[in-house]
Amino acid sequence: MTFSFKGLSAFPITPMHQDAPDESRFATLISRLVEAKVDSIGALGSTGSYAFLTRSEREKIARLAVKHAGATPVLVSIGAINLRDTLLLAEDAQKAGVKALLLPPMSYFPLRDDEVFTLYETVNSHVSVPVVVYDTPGTTQFHFSDSLMQRICQLKHVRSIKLPSGSPTAEEASARIKRLLPALPEDVSPGISGDPTAGNALMHGARIWFSEWGGLFPRLARQLTDAALAGQKDEVARINAIFAPFWEMSARYGGSLRVIASAAEIMGLAGAHALPRPLKGVSAQDAEQLASLIKTHQPS
Amino acid sequence: MTFSFKGLSAFPITPMHQDAPDESRFATLISRLVEAKVDSIGALGSTGSYAFLTRSEREKIARLAVKHAGATPVLVSIGAINLRDTLLLAEDAQKAGVKALLLPPMSYFPLRDDEVFTLYETVNSHVSVPVVVYDTPGTTQFHFSDSLMQRICQLKHVRSIKLPSGSPTAEEASARIKRLLPALPEDVSPGISGDPTAGNALMHGARIWFSEWGGLFPRLARQLTDAALAGQKDEVARINAIFAPFWEMSARYGGSLRVIASAAEIMGLAGAHALPRPLKGVSAQDAEQLASLIKTHQPS
């Protein structure tokens, strides 16, 4: 199946066990996504700890994701600080059967515009599957100008952009999405990444939601996606309200990964210390709140 | 020789050639530092592109640095996104004969205070050589509070801190240095990293200058260090004025590495495309200015 840049793309964590990926628990997470009928699976996104893993670990996890995803298409991030490594990762991923590649302008020294264009241009000329431009200033410190984004979107294999919803503020991000969308080529699918505003973005032109919490609560994210794409404002508000305390805690921890890993542990879907070191899960007090939220709403 | 946390610690670039470290040119850079009688060599700092290289490349470069440094002690960065990898790099470096380890709170998701403390505490309990706390918010997005820095400085192997000189502004950085220094344990040597304010910092309590441009112009940096430590204000101002246009261009390019690599190419000390991809050197116009500055001042 080719990669469909629409609907719900769910991003599971890669649970760790003793400093290595926990392959059996990862496989279970993938199977849950397939059962929830997500449109695609974003393995090895930021939420999947791609930046913490070695090339061989990333290859193994990509193969595992493809195997357990069955007919559901898989994308992986090929982000690396060195462009040489990104090209190797792209080769590994394509050989593993991945249907699309997610490319952030990952860096050690924040990159400059011409360096970022060269990054996408070089990858574009080396790959045969679609590429998603991953705009994630919170981790890359890089801010795409509208004109650079439009130039990159002219590249043959670039088929989607994954925009942050809260950078620098939710209002500015929303204004940017409204400004960018009409200027994108027809074959480039606008996508939204920040969970809290995804419903709203899907009602206003975004075609795909790259969802972090959707990797753990795929049924709930599926409902939100369907309601938003059908323009059911009240239903979107109802589901947003269930997600809200999880999103609020994510914001307090500077991102979703730490909170999702703690929730996965509570749900028995990850072991203790499932985060790559030195990342830590939530405090005991917040873990209690998480457990109580999960008990109340039974999200799945 | 043990590592002496004082005077000039010069940080050479790691020139690349066809996507791999250019070992012969790197060896030449190390020999120039030894001839200029720097106090120590910081191989594989940010300027040495540590973040772009694989574990085996970093091991090879560390061994090469130690071999060509002779009696001059070498330190290397053991920074990595995954703490597991940092511990492996620390082992490799110590086996290679490195005398001190530079540890930044490198991250993909900016780290939280307790995660950073765990990082330093874990490394401290695994190593037998001194550790330098590398405070580099421009690349890590992490800001050390005074109290966290003091807590980390109590760890047995922590012997120096490498403070940025311009973060968030030069004035605030200078106020921070004045505030932090009296609170540091006796055996922790305060160090400064930003070249433009190093002379001033060395005149006001900093004991070691971790110098980026000192990796390319070690004689000039040696003169600046000696003048500053002797309190020769006018001589410091004279040498600062020679460095100033190089520093100004570095600031315009968001850091020194791109400009130092271009200058090294002009001086025949690095080949073309010496930067790890996707980093690029300076524009043709700035390269002309660099060439003219080098011709005028003959810095070495």
Side-chain angles (χ1 to χ4, degrees), chain B residues 8-13 26-43 65 68-69 72-74 211-219 221-222 300:
Chain B
L8 173 62
S9 189
F11 280 62
I13 61 168
F26 178 76
T28 303
L29 288 172
I30 297 293
S31 302
R32 286 178 85 241
L33 302 182
V34 173
E35 285 158 23
K37 301 197 193 321
V38 303
D39 295 297
S40 60
I41 294 171
H68 291 274
T72 310
V74 171
S211 176
E212 300 182 296
W213 277 96
L216 189 65
F217 301 158
R219 286 173 205 277
R222 175 81 267 170
S300 68

Side-chain angles (χ1 to χ4, degrees), chain A residues 19 46 50-52 57 81-84 108-110 112 115 118 138 141 252 257-258 277-280, chain B residues 19 46 50-52 57 81-84 108-110 115 118 138 141 252 257-258 277-280:
Chain A
D19 272 340
S46 296
Y50 81 82
F52 292 82
E57 285 170 336
I81 292 174
N82 195 322
L83 171 49
R84 167 195 72 180
Y108 180 68
F109 301 104
R112 295 162 59 83
E115 294 166 343
T118 296
Q141 298 196 65
R252 268 201 289 124
L257 175 54
R258 295 171 178 96
R277 291 193 286 168
L279 299 186
K280 295 185 182 187
Chain B
D19 273 339
S46 295
Y50 81 83
F52 292 82
E57 286 171 335
I81 292 174
N82 195 322
L83 171 51
R84 168 194 72 182
Y108 180 68
F109 302 104
E115 294 166 343
T118 295
Q141 298 196 65
R252 267 202 289 126
L257 176 56
R258 295 173 178 93
R277 291 193 285 168
L279 298 187
K280 294 187 182 187

Side-chain angles (χ1 to χ4, degrees), chain B residues 34-268:
Chain B
V34 173
E35 285 158 23
K37 301 197 193 321
V38 303
D39 295 297
S40 60
I41 294 171
L44 294 171
S46 295
T47 309
S49 298
Y50 81 83
F52 292 82
L53 304 179
T54 63
R55 180 181 170 193
S56 68
E57 286 171 335
R58 288 165 77 167
E59 190 189 7
K60 204 184 263 185
I61 288 295
R63 287 186 184 277
L64 211 57
V66 168
K67 181 180 161 193
H68 291 274
T72 310
V74 171
L75 89 162
V76 300
S77 165
I78 53 169
I81 292 174
N82 195 322
L83 171 51
R84 168 194 72 182
D85 299 331
T86 288
L87 297 176
L88 296 172
L89 290 160
E91 252 182 64
D92 293 347
Q94 289 175 99
K95 281 188 194 149
V98 159
K99 299 295 185 210
L101 306 170
L102 189 62
L103 180 57
M106 191 182 174
S107 68
Y108 180 68
F109 302 104
L111 299 178
R112 295 163 59 84
D113 278 16
D114 58 339
E115 294 166 343
V116 168
F117 186 75
T118 295
L119 167 67
Y120 285 93
E121 193 182 35
T122 308
V123 168
N124 179 69
S125 70
H126 276 77
V127 300
S128 56
V129 300
V131 171
V132 183
V133 179
Y134 186 6
D135 181 1
T136 173
T139 54
T140 62
Q141 298 196 65
F142 184 77
H143 296 268
F144 285 91
S145 67
D146 289 5
S147 64
L148 177 63
M149 186 61 96
Q150 284 160 12
R151 207 173 146 218
I152 290 171
C153 283
Q154 302 297 330
L155 295 168
K156 183 182 166 192
H157 293 291
V158 171
R159 290 295 166 73
S160 183
I161 57 179
K162 180 177 188 293
L163 295 171
S165 64
S167 176
T169 67
E171 289 69 32
E172 286 170 84
S174 160
R176 178 168 175 240
I177 291 167
K178 278 191 196 139
R179 201 172 62 227
L180 262 178
L181 295 203
L184 291 181
E186 274 268 318
D187 65 347
V188 174
S189 183
I192 186 79
S193 124
D195 288 358
T197 53
N200 193 46
L202 289 172
M203 287 193 284
H204 291 92
R207 290 212 289 266
I208 177 168
W209 175 22
F210 301 99
S211 176
E212 300 182 296
W213 277 96
L216 189 65
F217 301 158
R219 286 173 205 277
L220 198 60
R222 175 81 267 170
Q223 287 171 32
L224 180 56
T225 307
D226 293 344
L229 290 175
Q232 297 163 351
K233 232 174 146 175
D234 293 350
E235 178 67 357
V236 167
R238 186 189 70 79
I239 305 168
N240 270 345
I242 300 173
F243 270 122
F246 297 98
W247 291 336
E248 180 277 328
M249 194 181 292
S250 299
R252 267 202 289 126
Y253 278 88
S256 305
L257 176 56
R258 295 173 178 93
V259 186
I260 292 176
S262 293
E265 187 186 337
I266 291 165
M267 294 166 76

Side-chain angles (χ1 to χ4, degrees), chain A residues 190-201:
Chain A
I192 186 79
S193 124
D195 286 359
T197 53
N200 193 45

Side-chain angles (χ1 to χ4, degrees), chain A residues 223-297:
Chain A
Q223 287 172 33
L224 180 56
T225 307
D226 293 344
L229 291 174
Q232 297 163 351
K233 233 174 145 173
D234 293 349
E235 178 68 355
V236 167
R238 185 189 70 80
I239 304 169
N240 271 344
I242 300 173
F243 270 121
F246 297 97
W247 291 336
E248 180 276 328
M249 195 183 291
S250 298
R252 268 201 289 124
Y253 278 87
S256 304
L257 175 54
R258 295 171 178 96
V259 186
I260 292 175
S262 294
E265 187 187 337
I266 290 165
M267 294 167 75
L269 293 166
H273 310 294
L275 287 163
R277 291 193 286 168
L279 299 186
K280 295 185 182 187
V282 304
S283 69
Q285 194 185 334
D286 285 326
E288 256 180 57
Q289 196 203 331
L290 271 182
S292 144
L293 285 166
I294 290 167
K295 200 173 165 191
T296 305
H297 299 291

